[in-house]
Amino acid sequence: MIAVLRQGVSQEQTSSLCDWFKTMGLQVHISEGEYQTIIGLIGDTSKIDIGLLEGLSIIESVKRISEPFKSANRKFHADDSVVDINGVKIGGGHFQMIAGPCSVESESQIITVAEAVKKSGASLLRGGAFKPRTSPYDFQGLQAEGLTLLLEARRRTGLPIVTELMNVNHLPLFEDVDVIQIGARNMQNFELLKEVGKTNKPVLLKRGLANTIKELLMSAEYIMASGNEQIIICERGIRTFETYTRNTLDLSAVPMLHRLTHLPVVVDPSHATGMSWLVEPMAMAAVAAGADGLMVEVHNDPEHALCDGAQSITPEQFDRLAERVRKIREVIHS
Ligand code: PEP
Ligand code: MN
């Protein structure tokens, strides 16, 4: 980190500022120019509040040279992290498909979809029990009953389950869940991130609707700082000025995240596009871009789905998608 001092700052002011930096365990490197003094700070500057420094009357500007995320940073962990979900590995060359309905609606729905996606090659079952809906009048999910049905689907198929947690108070209900999903709307719910960080369960962290890649990684850092390193990052599209699609899938986020972090990266082409016919091409593009997995919404009767029917594909369409994804993977690994 570099701090540029204002002109006319005295020697005493400079040295007391440097002493303060040293009390924070940082090494200080001063370079005095004809008009300006620059202080280089070496060490763990992640805990420094830039706003506080910039507010000091003797400082003109502050610039971070390295990223503020440490645990998630590839610089300090060169190898890919592999998240192991009861034997289902993701990351570091292990590719997985997470599939299932937006919401759990009934026992027959979740079992039918779970059995079908398993047959097509999905290795994890998704399904929302607690749903973050834009309108309070929309279906809010079957909640605790939805979790029970997901566990039943796991018992019948063996597929580990991924489901969204929205409220810290619901955590005891998630005892038997395999992967806790933190949805786009809660990506910056820092108290929730700290709590899932205290669990020993893998977390699927989705990018917020209007969040940068850096903010996404800082949210991963929150979970890691609380002790949980098993994080799968999910790109699910961001809000732009485009209106033909529900969101804009930021595919460059995949190689960018791989460069910045060692955590596995999956892509959700369903929420990214909002339209079922766009799911397959975007899934293939995501795989070609190097995604470690996909999260796809699959419904046995999309027209009557209680949530996100327009972007849900049928089990038959998922079967075709899975086949095409396999072919893309063969090409990129040949
Ligand atoms: C979901 O996966 O069901 C969901 C609500 O996604 P997102 O948080 O990305 O909108
Ligand atoms: Mn959905």
Side-chain angles (χ1 to χ4, degrees):
M1 182 181 275
I2 282 173
V4 180
L5 303 190
R6 285 196 194 283
Q7 278 182 30
V9 171
S10 68
Q11 286 291 345
E12 292 73 43
Q13 285 174 309
T14 307
S15 59
S16 73
L17 181 67
C18 291
D19 289 345
W20 181 56
F21 285 137
K22 284 176 197 160
T23 63
M24 290 190 258
L26 298 169
Q27 276 174 268
V28 174
H29 182 269
I30 305 174
S31 89
E32 277 183 60
E34 197 173 339
Y35 301 108
Q36 235 161 6
T37 300
I38 294 172
I39 301 181
L41 298 170
I42 302 151
D44 182 5
T45 56
S46 59
K47 292 190 181 72
I48 291 191
D49 180 348
I50 289 201
L52 179 88
L53 284 189
E54 283 176 336
L56 298 178
S57 60
I58 56 170
I59 290 188
E60 184 167 300
S61 62
V62 181
K63 193 168 168 24
R64 256 189 213 289
I65 302 300
S66 64
E67 297 85 6
F69 47 94
K70 298 286 174 225
S71 304
N73 203 318
R74 177 143 343 241
K75 263 186 211 150
F76 310 113
H77 189 298
D79 296 338
D80 289 341
S81 282
V82 178
V83 174
D84 191 332
I85 307 143
N86 300 323
V88 177
K89 292 184 177 152
I90 186 158
H94 302 274
F95 177 88
Q96 305 297 346
M97 284 188 293
I98 309 164
C102 178
S103 312
V104 181
E105 298 173 7
S106 67
E107 179 166 343
S108 67
Q109 176 239 22
I110 193 69
I111 305 282
T112 306
V113 175
E115 284 174 346
V117 297
K118 182 183 179 182
K119 217 182 269 171
S120 300
S123 46
L124 294 142
L125 175 67
R126 65 149 287 146
F130 293 89
K131 293 305 303 176
R133 303 305 300 276
T134 302
S135 166
Y137 308 118
D138 285 341
F139 176 57
Q140 302 287 307
L142 293 182
Q143 314 205 350
E145 190 199 339
L147 293 177
T148 308
L149 296 179
L150 279 168
L151 293 175
E152 177 58 17
R154 179 179 69 189
R155 197 185 65 75
R156 299 265 279 266
T157 60
L159 293 178
I161 54 175
V162 183
T163 193
E164 178 164 356
L165 173 74
M166 295 200 294
N167 185 331
V168 176
N169 298 327
H170 295 155
L171 207 43
L173 294 172
F174 282 60
E175 191 84 1
D176 295 323
V177 163
D178 300 288
V179 179
I180 297 176
Q181 175 173 324
I182 298 295
R185 287 150 193 86
N186 275 311
M187 189 203 91
Q188 286 193 315
N189 182 338
F190 301 118
E191 292 306 313
L192 190 58
L193 298 177
K194 285 184 208 166
E195 289 305 318
V196 296
K198 290 183 204 153
T199 72
N200 58 1
K201 288 188 189 296
V203 177
L204 182 120
L205 176 65
K206 299 188 89 173
R207 181 174 182 182
L209 276 70
N211 286 110
T212 63
I213 292 172
K214 188 187 273 181
E215 287 164 343
L216 172 58
L217 290 172
M218 289 310 290
S219 291
E221 192 75 17
Y222 255 96
I223 300 170
M224 297 176 101
S226 297
N228 187 350
E229 310 238 308
Q230 304 173 85
I231 302 168
I232 302 158
I233 306 269
C234 180
E235 165 58 43
R236 46 79 71 206
I238 48 173
R239 187 163 282 182
T240 67
F241 51 79
E242 181 52 66
T243 54
Y244 274 124
T245 47
R246 182 178 182 183
N247 291 289
T248 297
L249 178 55
D250 179 8
L251 268 187
S252 59
V254 176
M256 180 60 83
L257 282 164
H258 277 147
R259 173 171 287 215
L260 294 169
T261 182
H262 50 89
L263 298 171
V265 179
V266 306
V267 169
D268 169 352
S270 308
H271 292 89
T273 61
M275 277 173 272
S276 58
W277 65 274
L278 279 172
V279 171
E280 184 186 288
M282 289 301 96
M284 291 199 295
V287 172
D292 299 297
L294 292 170
M295 185 189 233
V296 181
E297 285 190 344
V298 180
H299 197 287
N300 52 334
D301 183 7
E303 280 179 25
H304 296 103
L306 297 181
C307 182
D308 286 349
Q311 68 194 33
S312 299
I313 59 173
T314 61
E316 295 72 33
Q317 290 167 327
F318 179 71
D319 192 59
R320 184 186 126 112
L321 177 152
E323 184 52 35
R324 302 195 84 190
V325 160
R326 263 191 292 277
K327 289 193 178 132
I328 297 270
R329 281 186 49 77
E330 272 168 31
V331 171
I332 58 174
H333 290 290
S334 63

